[in-house]
Amino acid sequence: MKSFLIVFCLIGFWQTDSKAQQVRFVAKYGNEMLNTFPNTVKGKNGDTIEFSVLKFYISNLEFRKNGIPVYSPKEQYHLVDFGIEHSAVLNFDARKKIHFHEFVFDIGIDSATNSAGALGGALDPTVGMYWTWQNGYIHFKLEGKSSRCFARNHQFEFHIGGYYSPFNTLQKIRIPAQKNIESTIEIDLAILMESIDLATVHHIMSPCTEAVRFSQQFPFIFYSAKR
Amino acid sequence: MKVKLLYIFCGIVLLVAFKMADDIPFVVPKYFPAPVYDFKKNRLSSEKIVLGRVLFYDNLLSKNQTISCASCHSNYNAFAHTDHALSHGIYDSIGTRNAPALMNLAWQPIFMWDGAINHLDMQALAPIQNKIEMGEHIANVVSKLQKSPIYPKLFYKAFEDSIISGEHTLKALSAFMLTLVSCESKYDSVIKGYLAFDAKEKNGYALYKNHCSSCHTEPLFTNYRFENNGLALDTTLSDYGRMHITKQTNDSLKFKVPTLRNIEWTYPYMHDGRFKTLNTVLNHYSGGIIYSPSLSEPLQKPISLSAKEKVDLLSFLLTLSDTKYIFNKNHSFPREILKN
């Protein structure tokens, strides 16, 4: 019995000692917050845009100081899904207080993991981020409707994936971090939507040149929230 | 206190020991290369193989419970779809390709006629979610399995977890498919030195080595590469094969080289099932090759086979038939668990 108590005390001690590190993703359209999905906004071109799905993988996250990684969470792959409450908030147990200037992470899943067979957790095929008629994870999914989109029901669907050349769409993101325990990373969908002509490009559903071009916008849409 | 620790320690040792005993070794014939499948990530156990076999034969995997993997991959035809040139799926839909025979999948590095799938584990997702094959969604398959009276128990036995996941469903299917090893044909007995070819087979073997082995390479009878073997494009299907995946024009009309093992039973032949008999296949290679820029090198020079040579080559091809494989009870419908 006594030994149990000691164990409990130890666990308690560890917990208070460890530092919860939180990274929160927030979706925006320009200055407008998109708190819940689906969400309708006035587009910059006078159209209306309804965003229904925003899902992407964050992987190989590193907290860096002067370019050197000071902390990399054990959990390597995270699915951020704005349709599921709390999934846009990642909590890490950093064990000790860390000082960092920069976040470095990938949007998507690296090629080794893409070829590794069936995997579980965030990578389980049931989460709907794996292509089935060919192989590979979908790194980033954005779906919705816009009056500017000439497709059926004005719908657009961007499923961005591809892990082999010349259609590798994995993108590394580096962004300066605010030095605090709770960090917020904003994603500006306006930048993304303005980079494409919805009248002609409304469906990207496989690794292709269009997908590569789309993914090249990722480094410009993620940035640290200024407080 | 010490005693307690000792108990825990013994428990762990026992558990580990049991786990080890559960692993089924994957036997590799001496003259086969090393398998490419990583068994460390999906250890074989009899419980997992049984679960995979039940899944393979269960219609529950399709949207309206009418189609199973075995509907298109029948064990009596070396897991091909005999008599169907193009696969036949849910709601009587006709697919665009011939269902290939399944065997020796542990050695196969890439799947589908065009190499669309890079890992055996992920292969099952393609038919499950194809609207004209099984028309389901893997998340829905998992929830049907979870509600079924038999599966939570089977998953618990296989993975020590009765919460069913997509990962475990796919790994169990792989475990079963990995056991589909065909290596007991007459050819294999000859290689092992137990039997000898007769005169016709011997001549056929020489012809095969001369004309066919660069692509249909021993002992698996395929090099798993993508080649253009000179078939005319079927303009109703417009299937350009590998190019569909790589989008490179030099991959136009290239398809994965299929194995010649059990070829006697896997008719009709080619990715679209265009040839019903082996004789028509031989006529294709001897005089029917269509030239195109991506035609594979070994077929650039015309092959000319006399009528006798065709007979001999055919008799060699028939030595690749493995009746033990076809009638292996461990591969057939799991009557003891599933009702039809």
Side-chain angles (χ1 to χ4, degrees):
Chain A
M1 197 58 219
K2 228 188 248 161
S3 55
F4 265 118
L5 271 177
I6 293 172
V7 169
F8 268 118
C9 289
L10 272 175
I11 291 173
F13 181 66
W14 276 331
Q15 263 175 356
T16 49
D17 189 42
S18 67
K19 291 284 174 278
Q21 193 72 48
Q22 194 176 77
V23 180
R24 172 192 300 271
F25 289 88
V26 173
K28 295 177 93 174
Y29 185 88
N31 290 326
E32 204 169 329
M33 291 284 234
L34 309 175
N35 290 325
T36 53
F37 273 67
N39 199 310
T40 308
V41 297
K42 266 253 149 314
K44 297 219 163 158
N45 301 345
D47 54 342
T48 49
I49 308 177
E50 181 192 309
F51 293 108
S52 52
V53 174
L54 176 60
K55 271 168 106 164
F56 51 84
Y57 280 113
I58 296 289
S59 61
N60 302 315
L61 175 63
E62 281 177 1
F63 296 70
R64 290 192 186 176
K65 183 182 180 183
N66 302 326
I68 295 159
V70 287
Y71 173 61
S72 330
K74 239 194 350 243
E75 192 76 50
Q76 245 178 312
Y77 305 99
H78 306 271
L79 178 62
V80 174
D81 180 350
F82 282 87
I84 297 175
E85 225 183 321
H86 305 308
S87 113
V89 181
L90 310 182
N91 288 303
F92 306 107
D93 187 356
R95 286 291 154 102
K96 57 178 201 269
K97 197 166 162 54
I98 45 173
H99 297 277
F100 57 96
H101 306 140
E102 195 185 27
F103 292 111
V104 179
F105 55 87
D106 293 333
I107 296 296
I109 304 298
D110 54 83
S111 74
T113 308
N114 262 291
S115 319
L119 298 162
L123 298 173
D124 196 285
T126 50
V127 303
M129 292 292 274
Y130 195 90
W131 268 314
T132 56
W133 47 273
Q134 68 165 39
N135 46 236
Y137 282 94
I138 299 169
H139 302 321
F140 182 99
K141 236 186 210 187
L142 178 66
E143 296 176 8
K145 285 182 190 178
S146 154
S147 49
R148 205 153 53 93
C149 177
F150 293 163
R152 204 168 145 256
N153 298 330
H154 302 291
Q155 276 173 344
F156 58 83
E157 280 177 292
F158 300 117
H159 294 184
I160 308 304
Y163 61 93
Y164 48 83
S165 121
F167 305 122
N168 195 338
T169 52
L170 187 72
Q171 293 290 346
K172 202 164 251 336
I173 312 288
R174 308 157 156 267
I175 44 178
Q178 312 294 39
K179 268 192 233 159
N180 48 32
I181 300 228
E182 284 168 39
S183 316
T184 300
I185 295 178
E186 296 185 346
I187 307 149
D188 189 352
L189 296 181
I191 298 174
L192 205 49
M193 295 307 282
E194 274 163 45
S195 75
I196 34 181
D197 178 13
L198 274 186
T200 52
V201 182
H202 34 72
H203 282 75
I204 303 178
M205 308 295 280
S206 65
C208 59
T209 322
E210 236 104 57
V212 173
R213 212 173 295 145
F214 193 97
S215 74
Q216 283 162 350
Q217 294 297 322
F218 295 161
F220 305 111
I221 66 171
F222 288 86
Y223 50 91
S224 272
K226 299 196 180 55
R227 292 210 166 192
Chain B
M1 184 59 216
K2 264 198 193 133
V3 178
K4 242 189 227 163
L5 270 179
L6 199 68
Y7 273 130
I8 292 172
F9 180 74
C10 289
I12 291 171
V13 169
L14 272 174
L15 261 174
V16 171
F18 265 111
K19 279 240 70 72
M20 304 284 246
D22 268 350
D23 278 10
I24 291 194
F26 184 76
V27 182
V28 177
K30 276 205 185 75
Y31 50 99
F32 273 39
V36 296
Y37 191 88
D38 187 354
F39 288 93
K40 284 201 254 20
K41 291 196 181 128
N42 189 16
R43 295 199 178 277
L44 291 188
S45 67
S46 49
E47 291 79 7
K48 218 189 266 183
I49 294 165
V50 165
L51 169 60
R53 178 169 160 218
V54 175
L55 289 166
F56 192 89
Y57 281 93
D58 199 338
N59 295 336
L60 179 144
L61 266 60
S62 67
K63 184 94 198 157
N64 64 356
Q65 335 262 21
T66 56
I67 306 275
S68 72
C69 306
S71 307
C72 297
H73 299 287
S74 136
N75 57 321
Y76 296 116
N77 308 105
F79 294 94
H81 201 185
T82 296
D83 284 337
H84 287 264
L86 300 175
S87 72
H88 189 155
I90 196 166
Y91 315 126
D92 274 337
S93 321
I94 304 295
T96 56
R97 289 194 181 143
N98 182 231
L102 306 181
M103 74 198 80
N104 302 339
L105 293 162
W107 288 271
Q108 188 164 327
I110 194 151
F111 303 86
M112 302 292 233
W113 286 103
D114 54 11
I117 306 288
N118 69 3
H119 197 289
L120 181 61
D121 292 355
M122 300 329 246
Q123 171 66 45
L125 286 175
I128 288 173
Q129 304 212 163
N130 188 320
K131 285 198 182 64
I132 60 170
E133 291 187 337
M134 300 171 103
E136 243 314 354
H137 192 283
I138 181 71
N140 206 37
V141 168
V142 166
S143 86
K144 284 196 281 186
L145 294 172
Q146 195 76 67
K147 284 184 209 130
S148 108
I150 59 167
Y151 283 105
K153 246 183 264 160
L154 293 175
F155 273 84
Y156 186 78
K157 282 190 195 156
F159 295 99
E160 286 167 7
D161 192 351
S162 51
I163 306 292
I164 299 172
S165 66
E167 178 194 11
H168 288 169
T169 306
L170 296 177
K171 283 192 163 157
L173 276 164
S174 284
F176 170 63
M177 290 193 283
L178 288 164
T179 65
L180 305 179
V181 176
S182 175
C183 63
E184 294 189 75
S185 65
K186 175 166 184 189
Y187 161 85
D188 294 287
S189 301
V190 172
I191 293 294
K192 287 180 219 158
Y194 303 147
L195 286 176
F197 285 137
D198 67 22
K200 279 196 318 193
E201 291 162 354
K202 204 165 166 185
N203 190 37
Y205 186 37
L207 288 163
Y208 151 81
K209 282 197 160 167
N210 230 338
H211 300 299
C212 322
S213 70
S214 56
C215 297
H216 300 284
T217 314
E218 291 172 83
L220 295 159
F221 287 86
T222 160
N223 57 8
Y224 296 119
R225 300 243 297 266
F226 298 92
E227 305 280 355
N228 173 352
N229 70 338
L231 296 172
L233 177 71
D234 178 333
T235 49
T236 60
L237 296 168
S238 291
D239 191 343
Y240 290 91
R242 185 66 178 154
M243 188 175 86
H244 176 62
I245 301 301
T246 62
K247 306 199 166 70
Q248 309 288 310
T249 46
N250 56 345
D251 284 331
S252 172
L253 300 173
K254 289 187 183 169
F255 290 86
K256 188 170 86 283
V257 176
T259 181
L260 297 181
R261 284 181 173 271
N262 297 307
I263 199 72
E264 177 180 3
W265 295 303
T266 62
Y267 55 90
Y269 302 107
M270 305 300 168
H271 67 272
D272 53 6
R274 67 177 66 189
F275 298 137
K276 288 205 172 68
T277 65
L278 283 172
N279 278 321
T280 40
V281 172
L282 295 187
N283 290 339
H284 163 72
Y285 282 108
S286 162
I289 299 281
I290 303 291
Y291 283 84
S292 62
S294 63
L295 179 66
S296 291
E297 215 274 315
L299 297 172
Q300 298 269 349
K301 221 172 69 204
I303 299 172
S304 137
L305 299 170
S306 69
K308 181 188 173 296
E309 284 174 327
K310 282 181 193 166
V311 171
D312 291 355
L313 183 48
L314 194 62
S315 41
F316 167 68
L317 292 178
L318 298 185
T319 69
L320 300 174
S321 300
D322 179 353
T323 24
K324 280 204 185 132
Y325 184 65
I326 302 296
F327 293 109
N328 189 333
K329 286 221 162 49
N330 296 329
H331 299 169
S332 62
F333 187 88
R335 236 163 275 286
E336 59 287 5
I337 301 177
L338 265 192
K339 281 180 257 328
N340 220 340

